[in-house]
Amino acid sequence: MKSKLLVSLLSCVASTALFAAESPAVGTTAPDFSVTDSKGKTQSVSQYKGKYVVLEWFNPECPFVKKHYGSGNMQKLQEEFTGKGVVWLSIDSSAAGKEGHLTAEQANQKMTEWKTKQTALLLDPNGKAGQTYGAKNTPHMFVINPEGKIIYEGAIDSKASANPADLANSTNYVKVALEESMGGKPVTTATTKPYGCSVKY
Amino acid sequence: MTRLRCRGYSSMVSNGMNPGFSMRSSLLAAISVLAFVCPGRAQTFQGKELVQASLVADVNAVVPGKPLTVGLLLKMAPHWHTYWRFSGDAGLPTEIKWNLPPGWKAGEIQWPLPFRMIDPGDIETYGYDNEVMLLQEITPPASVPDSSIKLAAEASWLVCEKLCIPGSANLQIGLPVSDKNAAANEDLFTRYRRSLPQKWPEGKVASATWSRGGQELQLTVESAALANYPAADFFPLPDANVVVGHPKTERSAPGKLIFRVPIEGDPKLSALNGVVVFGQSANSAERNGWTLPTEVQMLSGGSGSLWKFLLFGFLGGFILNLMPCVLPVISLKIFGFIQHAGQDRRRILRSGLAFIAGIFAWFIGLALLLIGLKSAGREITWAFQFTNPYFVLFMSAVVLVFALNLFGVFEITLPQSASRGVLGWTAREGDAGSFFQGVFATVLATPCTAPFLGTALGFAFTQSGWTILLMFVAIAAGMSSPYLLLSAQPAWMRLLPKPGAWMVHVKQLMGFLLLATLLFLLWVLGAQRGVEGVIWASCFLLALSVVCWMKGVFLVPTASHVARVVSILLALLLLLGSGYYFIGEKFRATRLASGEMQMQGDWQPFTPERLEEELGQGHSVFVDFTAAWCLTCKFNEASVLESSAVRDAFQRHGVVKIKADWTNADPAITKILKQFGRPGVPMYVLYPGKNAEPILFPELLTQSLILEKLETLLPHVAAQ
């Protein structure tokens, strides 16, 4: 067993039933993982050092996720920020046989069908990336700045509901955090309680 | 009998991308047992009825001006559940939007006691299964012109089993208006009113106090009434965007419960709202609950508690003096007293004060560093500097140089200006020496968290920068208190032996004590960087010794100018060259040692997965959080954990023993230390079983402590 001091980016998997899989706190260094995406490429947080990275926990069957994709809201956000050089990683941590589990083929199909605009859709059926980040919900969002620090963690927006009609009068925390940080300002709302379905580990 | 008319529809988001609506026309059933209940609107999914929603009133007619209670009754399909007002890690609370005629008012939703539900991936939610009724008080205006009224509401909920489906229904209830009424649906309302949390008991029946330790809020509830209920639970009601973890329950006495709630973010948060629930068994239907009073007294943050923690800090600082690795420096100090015995009292006092200033300087410096790290969002822990091999290396070098100085290889001469600058008064050489001795003693004392210090620092690290600073000042005061007394105590002088030639011998003896300390530091390095690391570090130390020798031989006042310059250059060359080669090249390249210490016999190395696995198999687990540089840990291990009585007891109870080695600041271990609100090692935790609360032991273990806990908590395992 290699010691983890210099390899401190090795994730520590929080253990079930003992320790809540706590999300790493805002301001700390974003832990790394390495997960294969739907195109078969290996994706990690560390390879995008120097760029903003958005992590979005994803489950195509979850009504809260459907709220944001069915309305085109999530695609719009992905398009806007990947256009500004942000790396957007959607992560599906549903275990095999659980709701929302996708094979690479199904994932690519879903991306085409929903016209998604993320950088990559990561398939994490063993829940490693999910547990590293203590992801509890779909959608559960993390924003990482170019220095590799977490600057936002929590819900996608201010209205916890599965109703697309609520999008109009809600604040999108991810958008605000990215815009503030890119403008050189501190993020005003850096931690919120995420809402959505539970991640189906 | 009034005929009621109910209309409405319920909807759900079907499996497609678009919400689909399922309309269910329902014929009005004859009014039977459930009078004044509208037939429910059902939410169906794949042909299965998931939720049936209806409105129920507790009266048979509306009397103007007289409040009535209306309940939203939700009947869920088996294994499907809806959520409480705080849904936990996932889910959404049920919502009710009333559409009442003008002048009518609806009160707050009254939520029955929730149940705790746990899903894979440690996702904990709070809600209801089978059936639930949410109550609301409706107040009609003083005059109602109509002979009957319809109260309409839109209810929306999230219902989950393995998947979640939002549902909603437009519901109505019709009631005649009359000048008198009678109760209706009594059984249903009695049952659900019984399951509501009660107000916090009046007077001295029960007390609740919050305190904060680390990233955790603790709620202590004391009440004699609790002794009759073996199961207890706490359901938090955090404000929006306060992120809370899963509450853990401990019972420290029959009538005393401690709930620990991990929290994220807000370091100033000192209390939560919530409901304390107790009953014969967890999640049983027959439970009682008390809503926490809003003005719960706070322990931490109150000045009284700060004083308590500062006192702990002071005591902890005092005990630091007794740490084994500090002994050589302490002896040095005593030696200093002997040296000055012949001089006047003021001189002694001043040297004592310089020593104390050194102690304070180090602690305040450390406090400022920690505050800086903390504001930068880094995880901070006590003795963190010892987890860095370069710091240990630096310490080794300092110890060695001191030892050589004591052996008489060279003399340390500090420039006058430096000592003046530091101490702010005209000092003689001895004062600066004393000052650095103070710094040095303190540095050596930090590898271990003394008892009391853990508690105090765990508290301080969660507080403001000023509190951290105050805490460190208290520790410094505690550590320096004996010297202050000794320096100021003239009666001491008579007890001291006369200075003489023997002092040189004692000085050399002290040098050997320092070498023993150096061995310990090298051993720590070895634990961090393996044998190679120790060898390269020793090469550098050897070169450093030669440099010291050069200083002693050539840099004396009698040496010529040229000899001085040449020897300084040579010494610098040797120092920088060996530093660059042995440390910068060789030492830096050493592989990190395995991080696992010699696992003696039956201890297993810690990983979160291993702990989980052992507990999953129904074992009890004892975890020893330790580090190579932690002497308190070593002491506890030798005298308690490895004693035959404790070893036998562990074996008898079938306890799995795990060692968590924090020598290299393994982040997985740091995380757990923080979860228990501890700033560093040692830490000892007993996990009695998968669903039982972990037990945290104090930093100074005793055999009886462990044996007692094992006896009370664990069943005997027949000897195999």
Side-chain angles (χ1 to χ4, degrees):
Chain A
M1 203 194 115
K2 268 263 168 73
S3 157
K4 298 181 182 172
L5 180 62
L6 287 191
V7 201
S8 69
L9 289 176
L10 270 185
S11 59
C12 42
V13 178
S15 63
T16 316
L18 251 188
F19 314 114
E22 276 185 54
S23 299
V26 165
T28 58
T29 303
D32 201 9
F33 53 70
S34 141
V35 174
T36 313
D37 69 14
S38 63
K39 308 278 193 275
K41 268 179 46 192
T42 303
Q43 300 282 356
S44 65
V45 174
S46 54
Q47 76 194 62
Y48 293 114
K49 194 124 193 195
K51 289 187 163 199
Y52 281 94
V53 180
V54 174
L55 304 180
E56 170 219 346
W57 261 267
F58 174 80
N59 166 357
E61 302 300 322
C62 164
F64 295 88
V65 174
K66 287 178 181 172
K67 161 187 166 184
H68 290 281
Y69 279 98
S71 59
N73 178 50
M74 195 69 97
Q75 293 91 326
K76 209 170 81 213
L77 213 59
Q78 291 168 344
E79 189 165 29
E80 176 187 350
F81 286 105
T82 49
K84 292 181 180 170
V86 173
V87 174
W88 188 297
L89 304 176
S90 308
I91 303 164
D92 185 333
S93 295
S94 295
K98 296 265 177 88
E99 180 200 53
H101 176 75
L102 294 174
T103 63
E105 195 183 339
Q106 289 165 328
N108 289 328
Q109 213 176 344
K110 191 60 77 182
M111 288 160 79
T112 316
E113 184 190 338
W114 286 8
K115 301 190 178 66
T116 61
K117 299 280 192 277
Q118 70 271 72
T119 311
L121 171 53
L122 281 53
L123 304 177
D124 180 40
N126 59 12
K128 249 168 102 165
Q131 292 282 27
T132 302
Y133 277 84
K136 291 197 176 60
N137 306 87
T138 51
H140 189 161
M141 310 296 296
F142 292 82
V143 180
I144 300 161
N145 72 4
E147 286 82 67
K149 296 264 187 288
I150 297 175
I151 56 169
Y152 175 76
E153 184 253 311
I156 176 146
D157 63 23
S158 58
K159 191 75 184 81
S161 86
N163 185 355
D166 289 323
L167 287 169
N169 45 21
S170 64
T171 310
N172 191 296
Y173 293 131
V174 174
K175 186 180 163 80
V176 173
L178 279 166
E179 282 168 354
E180 281 177 336
S181 181
M182 286 171 167
K185 289 200 280 288
V187 177
T188 40
T189 310
T191 310
T192 61
K193 183 187 178 316
Y195 72 87
C197 309
S198 55
V199 174
K200 310 298 180 197
Y201 291 115
Chain B
M1 216 47 196
T2 321
R3 292 271 319 250
L4 308 177
R5 297 195 52 223
C6 296
R7 303 208 350 253
Y9 68 87
S10 96
S11 71
M12 52 160 285
V13 177
S14 66
N15 235 9
M17 288 289 294
N18 302 311
F21 297 100
S22 71
M23 300 281 287
R24 206 182 104 125
S25 64
S26 54
L27 289 169
L28 185 60
I31 295 164
S32 56
V33 189
L34 283 184
F36 316 105
V37 178
C38 282
R41 303 284 142 217
Q43 175 190 13
T44 51
F45 169 69
Q46 295 178 343
K48 199 162 91 178
E49 205 170 83
L50 293 185
V51 179
Q52 213 181 29
S54 52
L55 290 176
V56 193
D58 70 340
V59 287
N60 61 3
V62 170
V63 175
K66 193 174 153 191
L68 63 146
T69 304
V70 175
L72 168 68
L73 185 64
L74 297 176
K75 292 184 175 173
M76 281 76 80
H79 313 300
W80 290 78
H81 45 257
T82 54
Y83 294 96
W84 188 52
R85 56 193 294 196
F86 172 65
S87 59
D89 291 339
L92 278 184
T94 300
E95 285 179 21
I96 306 173
K97 283 202 199 85
W98 283 98
N99 183 6
L100 296 170
W104 291 67
K105 283 198 216 41
E108 294 279 298
I109 297 182
Q110 301 162 46
W111 302 79
L113 299 177
F115 297 93
R116 178 184 299 266
M117 302 174 282
I118 296 173
D119 289 318
D122 195 28
I123 289 175
E124 192 171 281
T125 50
Y126 314 121
Y128 312 99
D129 52 9
N130 297 323
E131 182 192 280
V132 67
M133 186 159 76
L134 308 179
L135 309 181
Q136 254 175 307
E137 192 171 79
I138 304 284
T139 312
S143 71
V144 180
D146 314 296
S147 63
S148 72
I149 57 105
K150 284 199 193 76
L151 304 175
E154 186 194 355
S156 54
W157 59 82
L158 183 72
V159 65
C160 298
E161 190 217 359
K162 287 189 179 62
L163 44 122
C164 295
I165 300 169
S168 67
N170 285 318
L171 302 164
Q172 281 190 355
I173 183 164
L175 287 168
V177 178
S178 157
D179 53 3
K180 60 182 192 306
N181 61 7
N185 303 307
E186 284 177 84
D187 290 355
L188 197 60
F189 276 93
T190 311
R191 189 152 52 92
Y192 277 105
R193 284 197 172 114
R194 259 215 315 266
S195 72
L196 294 175
Q198 298 153 14
K199 277 211 180 68
W200 196 259
E202 295 286 320
K204 297 228 182 299
V205 177
S207 73
T209 41
W210 281 103
S211 63
R212 178 152 183 177
Q215 292 297 83
E216 184 181 79
L217 281 172
Q218 284 175 24
L219 169 66
T220 307
V221 177
E222 287 187 77
S223 170
L226 295 171
N228 311 322
Y229 298 99
D233 211 336
F234 174 70
F235 293 98
L237 282 169
D239 291 344
N241 288 336
V242 170
V243 182
V244 297
H246 307 162
K248 297 260 184 286
T249 310
E250 283 170 33
R251 192 182 284 264
S252 56
K256 185 174 176 186
L257 291 165
I258 297 166
F259 301 103
R260 298 165 175 274
V261 189
I263 41 171
E264 270 174 54
D266 191 358
K268 286 192 271 304
L269 188 75
S270 55
L272 288 170
N273 289 322
V275 179
V276 174
V277 177
F278 46 93
Q280 292 305 323
S281 67
N283 272 1
S284 74
E286 291 300 315
R287 294 173 304 158
N288 304 302
W290 293 336
T291 303
L292 276 183
T294 40
E295 63 294 335
V296 173
Q297 34 176 328
M298 271 296 307
L299 265 180
S300 75
S303 58
S305 73
L306 180 61
W307 287 115
K308 188 183 82 180
F309 282 112
L310 288 179
L311 180 70
F312 274 155
F314 184 88
L315 286 172
F318 179 80
I319 291 169
L320 277 181
N321 283 308
L322 310 176
M323 291 279 144
C325 41
V326 191
L327 202 60
V329 193
I330 300 303
S331 349
L332 264 189
K333 189 62 224 157
I334 292 169
F335 191 69
F337 281 119
I338 294 175
Q339 215 171 12
H340 298 156
Q343 293 149 349
D344 67 303
R345 264 182 54 200
R346 280 181 38 210
R347 164 84 213 222
I348 291 175
L349 180 61
R350 217 170 55 192
S351 140
L353 284 177
F355 184 70
I356 290 164
I359 293 178
F360 272 88
W362 170 260
F363 272 118
I364 289 170
L366 199 60
L368 294 176
L369 180 67
L370 287 174
I371 294 164
L373 283 175
K374 195 178 164 196
S375 59
R378 288 280 304 276
E379 303 248 318
I380 53 169
T381 42
W382 176 240
F384 71 100
Q385 65 273 30
F386 269 85
T387 61
N388 181 336
Y390 292 95
F391 176 80
V392 179
L393 192 67
F394 171 75
M395 285 302 307
S396 314
V398 174
V399 168
L400 178 68
V401 170
F402 257 77
L404 294 173
N405 166 250
L406 291 179
F407 290 140
V409 171
F410 73 106
E411 294 300 321
I412 295 179
T413 44
L414 284 161
Q416 288 281 319
S417 56
S419 54
R420 258 205 304 277
V422 173
L423 300 176
W425 66 69
T426 316
R428 292 181 214 158
E429 224 169 67
D431 291 343
S434 293
F435 175 82
F436 285 106
Q437 276 175 5
V439 171
F440 189 56
T442 315
V443 172
L444 279 176
T446 45
C448 268
T449 319
F452 304 114
L453 269 194
T455 322
L457 288 170
F459 160 78
F461 284 179
T462 63
Q463 305 290 315
S464 66
W466 283 110
T467 316
I468 295 183
L469 193 62
L470 258 178
M471 184 57 69
F472 275 85
V473 166
I475 295 169
M479 183 165 172
S480 52
S481 57
Y483 312 106
L484 192 60
L485 287 174
L486 295 187
S487 317
Q489 193 55 267
W492 240 66
M493 296 298 107
R494 291 199 303 276
L495 300 173
L496 290 178
K498 294 258 178 302
W502 64 272
M503 288 181 44
V504 177
H505 304 148
V506 172
K507 221 169 143 178
Q508 285 166 346
L509 188 64
M510 294 299 157
F512 288 109
L513 268 181
L514 280 175
L515 284 189
T517 308
L518 175 63
L519 282 183
F520 162 69
L521 289 169
L522 285 175
W523 179 63
V524 173
L525 265 185
Q528 288 170 332
R529 288 301 184 89
V531 175
E532 290 219 353
V534 173
I535 294 298
W536 294 123
S538 304
C539 289
F540 170 74
L541 291 177
L542 179 61
L544 184 67
S545 314
V546 175
V547 171
C548 290
W549 171 81
M550 284 168 78
K551 181 188 183 311
V553 175
F554 302 111
L555 287 179
V556 285
T558 54
S560 72
H561 190 67
V562 176
R564 263 167 183 270
V565 172
V566 169
S567 53
I568 284 180
L569 280 177
L570 275 177
L572 273 179
L573 191 70
L574 182 59
L575 190 64
L576 295 176
S578 63
Y580 172 78
Y581 181 70
F582 292 132
I583 303 302
E585 294 279 321
K586 291 293 187 187
F587 180 81
R588 216 163 55 98
T590 49
R591 194 175 46 75
L592 280 178
S594 69
E596 288 170 31
M597 278 188 272
Q598 286 302 126
M599 288 297 159
Q600 296 144 315
D602 43 6
W603 290 91
Q604 306 184 32
F606 170 89
T607 62
E609 298 84 354
R610 182 185 302 265
L611 180 54
E612 188 189 338
E613 196 181 307
E614 293 289 358
L615 288 168
Q617 292 172 2
H619 299 152
S620 309
V621 180
F622 182 88
V623 188
D624 167 16
F625 292 83
T626 178
W629 37 257
C630 164
L631 286 177
T632 309
C633 307
K634 298 280 157 247
F635 175 79
N636 284 332
E637 280 160 19
S639 65
V640 179
L641 296 179
E642 294 301 334
S643 68
S644 58
V646 171
R647 288 178 64 91
D648 290 352
F650 276 145
Q651 203 164 357
R652 206 171 49 239
H653 295 284
V655 178
V656 175
K657 302 195 288 187
I658 291 183
K659 236 190 202 42
D661 178 7
W662 198 55
T663 305
N664 286 322
D666 178 337
I669 296 174
T670 309
K671 202 164 167 172
I672 294 173
L673 289 171
K674 287 193 87 84
Q675 272 164 357
F676 284 97
R678 283 291 178 87
V681 290
M683 180 170 92
Y684 304 98
V685 183
L686 175 66
Y687 296 93
K690 195 177 164 93
N691 297 322
E693 289 304 322
I695 311 286
L696 184 65
F697 287 93
E699 279 144 324
L700 267 188
L701 280 183
T702 62
Q703 294 191 19
S704 59
L705 253 177
I706 299 241
L707 296 176
E708 215 170 285
K709 275 277 181 256
L710 289 178
E711 288 299 334
T712 51
L713 281 171
L714 301 177
H716 282 248
V717 174
Q720 300 291 310

